[in-house]
């Protein structure tokens, strides 16, 4: 029999509804000797004790907020009934807790990818055409359309042509405080393993962000539009593309150990089941891949900020703890300066899915990172330096976080969702993972992998995690396309720019 509700931690004073069509007013829950006082939708919370005004609401064994009013046993705990206090300062002295391994035998798993001269491995074989200024985007779009319509079929080993376009380069304070962030991101995107070192850059010629500021391209990779007419520039760009396509086409997939995977972890359109099903499954995969020697990064500062005690407890090195604190405090100041309201996160969609506060969201979000020690901390867009689990300090926006992770050098992304999103990147495969069965059924043509059965007790995190590992191998090897790729979905890259625009 399928479960209808779940209590995550023995300390919790509420349960979460996991029945697809919710639970109706008057439903008797004998385990807690209560009768529901309201209809409670999927993913939402029910008080299992009387909770007085200003008393804590406890989920995951952690305080996720405080009652705005008296809440009776059996009552639907709506987000409007909870408030959060001022954000806590970071405690760098949190005791270090060494992790337990999964105790699973690392069977002979491998994937087939494109080996690069620098030792990285691509899961795709792409020609990347970049801009250093937004003015050149139209030229690049027209060039890619031409290549796709007239050339690409001649290169069977090339997976596609992608734009690395952005809204930077002109009208920006090029030497301002924080200007290094967008510049680093653009520079590092071009180095992504899925591009195989075969990139070209289109410049206008009068921009502030000049091509000589970008060390990931050489002079022969650059075309300056103002050097010739549109037609001559376009024809030259086509010839440059052909040269690179020829080289890319000579590449073939070769057998690679899982240590060559560089996995990015992300979530969007989250619900209250995210921290019960999909995110723990992703966390299990993260731990397993770390055991295989792979590189895994998790991000989204505002959505893990309130779980910093958990994150810091997994950082052994003092200097690394200091870097984590420095990155988080930078972001705290960045948001405080703009008077950002903490109650604006979760989003309306998150709240409809049962997420009540930003702390509730953080506890579910951090589950994606598993339990491995954190071996490094990166600034936004910094490249992966070490195997193991890395925290990358990026914004939480799907588009901005994804762009930063591509810059960090991921070659595949796992993306969990409870409410659903059509977000996709062509630069890296994005595997969509559903937190609940309802979404998986409704979006069967968009969801790649469903973790919803965990909530109703039909399977376990470990079982789904091993299944997801095998699925990742198929996608990384090019034997299986993600459904978003099959549909041709593609979101633009969005470069994080906290510096002034002039």
């Amino acid at each position: 029999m399928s479960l209808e509700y779940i209590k995550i931690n023995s300390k919790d004073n509420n349960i979460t509804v996991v029945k697809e069509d919710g639970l109706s007013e008057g439903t008797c829950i004998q385990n807690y000797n209560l009768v529901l006082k309201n209809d409670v939708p999927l993913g939402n919370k029910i008080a299992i004790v009387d909770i007085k005004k200003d008393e804590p609401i406890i989920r995951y064994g952690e305080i996720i907020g405080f009652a705005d009013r008296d809440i009776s046993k059996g009552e639907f705990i709506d987000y409007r009934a909870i408030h959060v206090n001022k954000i806590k300062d970071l405690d760098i002295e949190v005791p270090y807790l060494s992790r337990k391994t999964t105790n699973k035998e690392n069977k002979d798993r491998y994937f087939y990818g494109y080996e690069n001269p620098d030792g990285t491995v691509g899961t795709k074989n792409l020609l990347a055409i970049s801009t250093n200024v937004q003015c050149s985007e139209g030229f690049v779009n027209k060039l890619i359309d031409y290549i796709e319509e007239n050339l690409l079929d001649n290169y069977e080993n090339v997976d596609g042509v992608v734009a690395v376009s952005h809204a930077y380069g002109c009208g920006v304070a090029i030497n301002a405080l924080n200007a290094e962030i967008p510049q680093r991101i653009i520079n590092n995107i071009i180095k992504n393993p899925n591009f195989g070192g075969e990139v070209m850059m289109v410049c206008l010629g009068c921009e502030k962000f000049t091509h000589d500021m970008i060390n990931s391209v050489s002079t022969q990779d650059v075309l300056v539009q103002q050097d010739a007419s549109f037609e001559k520039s376009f024809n030259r760009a086509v010839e440059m593309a052909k040269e690179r396509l020829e080289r890319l086409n000579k590449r073939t997939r070769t057998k690679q150990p899982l240590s060559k995977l560089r996995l990015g972890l992300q979530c969007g359109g989250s619900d209250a089941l995210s921290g019960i099903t999909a995110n723990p499954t992703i966390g299990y995969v993260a731990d397993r891949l770390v055991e295989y020697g792979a590189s895994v990064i998790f991000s989204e500062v505002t959505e893990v900020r309130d779980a910093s005690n958990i994150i810091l407890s997994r950082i052994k090195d003092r200097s690394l703890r200091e870097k984590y604190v420095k990155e988080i405090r930078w972001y705290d100041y960045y948001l405080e300066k703009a008077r950002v309201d903490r109650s604006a996160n979760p989003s309306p969609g998150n709240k409809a899915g049962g997420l009540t506060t930003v702390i509730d969201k953080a506890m579910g979000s951090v589950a994606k990172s598993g339990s491995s020690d954190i071996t490094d901390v990166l600034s936004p867009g910094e490249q992966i330096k070490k195997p193991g689990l890395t925290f990358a300090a990026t914004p939480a926006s799907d588009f901005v976080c994804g762009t930063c992770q591509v810059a960090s050098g991921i070659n595949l992304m796992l993306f969990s969702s409870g409410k659903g999103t059509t977000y996709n990147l062509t630069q890296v495969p994005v595997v969509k993972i559903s937190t609940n069965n309802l979404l998986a059924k409704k979006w069967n043509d968009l969801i790649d992998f469903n973790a919803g059965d965990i909530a109703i007790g039909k399977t376990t995190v470990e079982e789904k995690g091993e299944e997801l590992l095998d699925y990742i191998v198929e996608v990384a090897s090019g034997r299986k396309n993600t459904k978003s790729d099959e549909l041709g979905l593609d979101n633009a890259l969005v470069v994080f720019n906290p510096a002034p625009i002039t």
Side-chain angles (χ1 to χ4, degrees):
M1 182 177 173
S2 297
L3 297 176
E4 295 186 340
Y5 57 86
I6 189 168
K7 186 179 182 183
I8 301 172
N9 187 286
S10 60
K11 298 177 183 177
D12 295 352
N13 56 8
N14 60 87
I15 53 177
T16 302
V17 175
V18 297
K19 190 167 180 276
E20 281 184 28
D21 54 356
L23 293 176
S24 303
E25 180 182 349
T27 299
C28 179
I29 299 180
Q30 293 182 345
N31 285 356
Y32 297 102
N33 191 28
L34 62 82
V35 176
L36 292 195
K37 299 180 183 297
N38 326 83
D39 293 338
V40 185
L42 171 69
N44 284 269
K45 303 174 186 63
I46 301 164
I48 57 173
V49 294
D50 290 333
I51 303 170
K52 299 293 185 185
K53 186 178 184 297
D54 294 324
E55 286 186 345
I57 311 293
I58 302 171
R59 191 168 188 248
Y60 301 102
E62 302 281 345
I63 296 172
I64 63 166
F66 298 88
D68 263 347
R69 55 172 175 78
D70 290 351
I71 300 172
S72 302
K73 181 178 179 179
E75 191 176 343
F76 172 19
I77 304 179
D78 184 70
Y79 69 90
R80 287 163 289 214
I82 308 179
H83 68 271
V84 293
N85 290 339
K86 187 178 179 182
I87 197 165
K88 290 182 179 179
D89 196 14
L90 299 162
D91 181 7
I92 199 170
E93 304 298 342
V94 170
Y96 166 71
L97 300 174
S98 61
R99 68 171 292 249
K100 295 178 181 178
T101 63
T102 60
N103 293 319
K104 294 288 289 187
E105 182 182 351
N106 282 352
K107 64 181 183 182
D108 188 24
R109 281 190 174 103
Y110 52 86
F111 73 104
Y112 285 87
Y114 298 97
E115 190 164 358
N116 299 317
D118 64 0
T120 61
V121 174
T123 60
K124 287 187 174 186
N125 190 30
L126 300 167
L127 171 62
I129 304 178
S130 180
T131 65
N132 69 334
V133 64
Q134 60 266 51
C135 313
S136 298
E137 182 176 358
F139 183 99
V140 167
N141 290 343
K142 189 169 181 64
L143 176 61
I144 289 176
D145 287 345
Y146 178 87
I147 294 169
E148 290 177 338
E149 291 170 13
N150 299 283
L151 300 179
L152 200 54
D153 287 346
N154 300 322
Y155 304 97
E156 62 180 1
N157 290 335
V158 179
D159 294 321
V161 185
V162 296
V164 180
S165 298
H166 48 82
Y168 193 75
C170 189
V172 293
I174 201 73
N175 296 315
L177 183 67
N178 299 320
E180 76 282 358
I181 293 174
Q183 293 169 27
R184 176 174 61 232
I185 292 168
I186 294 165
N187 196 19
N188 286 343
I189 288 172
I190 302 167
K191 300 176 185 176
N192 188 276
N194 288 353
F195 303 156
E198 295 297 342
V199 298
M200 50 189 286
M201 174 170 282
V202 177
C203 310
L204 185 59
C206 58
E207 57 275 350
K208 289 183 178 180
F209 188 39
T210 57
H211 65 79
D212 58 359
M213 298 173 69
I214 303 170
N215 63 24
S216 51
V217 292
S218 57
T219 306
Q220 60 263 34
D221 297 323
V222 175
L223 181 141
V224 180
Q225 289 176 267
Q226 290 178 349
D227 285 352
S229 67
F230 181 90
E231 183 180 3
K232 287 182 179 178
S233 294
F234 192 84
N235 290 339
R236 174 63 187 134
V238 169
E239 291 306 311
M240 290 173 68
K242 284 180 181 177
E243 293 168 10
R244 287 154 180 77
L245 288 166
E246 289 286 351
R247 292 195 290 267
L248 286 169
N249 200 46
K250 292 176 182 176
R251 289 156 51 90
T252 56
R253 291 183 183 270
T254 56
K255 187 175 179 179
Q256 300 291 335
L258 292 196
S259 59
K260 293 296 184 179
L261 282 176
R262 292 177 153 205
L263 199 69
L265 312 179
Q266 211 182 331
C267 56
S270 300
D271 67 358
L273 299 188
S274 296
I276 300 172
T277 60
N279 287 355
T281 302
I282 291 172
Y284 176 89
V285 167
D287 287 340
R288 295 288 284 119
L289 284 174
V290 166
E291 290 170 358
Y292 275 102
S295 300
V296 181
I297 65 172
F298 73 108
S299 310
E300 302 168 296
V301 169
T302 54
E303 297 190 359
V304 299
R305 167 64 173 84
D306 288 279
S308 285
N309 58 322
I310 295 172
I311 294 171
L312 283 164
S313 73
R314 291 160 56 190
I315 302 176
K316 189 173 185 180
D317 183 74
R318 175 78 183 195
S319 63
L320 205 58
R321 286 187 174 212
E322 289 170 352
K323 183 169 184 186
Y324 176 83
V325 169
K326 180 182 176 184
E327 292 290 346
I328 299 299
R329 283 182 175 158
W330 180 93
Y331 217 90
D332 284 350
Y333 175 72
Y334 171 68
L335 296 178
E336 184 182 335
K337 187 172 59 173
R339 300 179 184 174
V340 171
D341 180 6
R342 290 236 296 155
S343 66
N345 197 352
S347 70
N350 297 150
K351 290 172 181 174
L355 288 173
T356 46
T357 69
V358 68
I359 306 171
D360 192 7
K361 193 173 184 179
M363 296 307 300
S365 181
V366 78
K368 295 195 303 295
S369 67
S371 60
S372 298
D373 282 2
I374 295 164
T375 58
D376 205 3
V377 174
L378 303 179
S379 299
E382 236 186 326
Q383 287 202 296
I384 295 167
K385 302 184 187 75
K386 301 177 181 178
L389 183 68
T390 291
F391 175 71
T394 77
S397 160
D398 299 345
F399 314 100
V400 182
C401 174
T403 302
C404 287
Q405 290 192 347
V406 171
S408 290
I410 66 166
N411 53 20
L412 191 143
M413 181 187 292
L414 299 184
F415 190 105
S416 68
S417 187
K419 302 302 289 182
T421 173
T422 54
Y423 168 80
N424 193 48
L425 296 173
T426 51
Q427 291 81 9
V428 297
V430 179
V431 177
K432 294 275 182 53
I433 303 165
S434 172
T435 72
N436 64 80
N437 290 339
L438 194 62
L439 177 65
K441 291 173 188 173
K442 181 172 65 176
W443 276 22
N444 65 314
D445 53 353
L446 277 166
I447 296 297
D448 298 298
F449 190 90
N450 177 31
D453 278 346
I454 295 169
I456 58 175
K458 287 191 173 181
T459 188
T460 66
V461 167
E462 182 177 326
E463 288 169 346
K464 293 305 284 187
E466 290 295 320
E467 188 182 331
L468 181 55
L469 256 179
D470 289 333
Y471 190 92
I472 289 167
V473 167
E474 292 298 298
V475 173
S477 300
R479 292 190 290 261
K480 187 182 289 289
N481 289 327
T482 66
K483 291 183 179 178
S484 292
D485 276 354
E486 290 283 0
L487 290 168
L489 298 177
D490 175 31
N491 282 96
L493 297 172
V494 181
V495 170
F496 180 38
N497 179 22
I501 295 177
T502 57

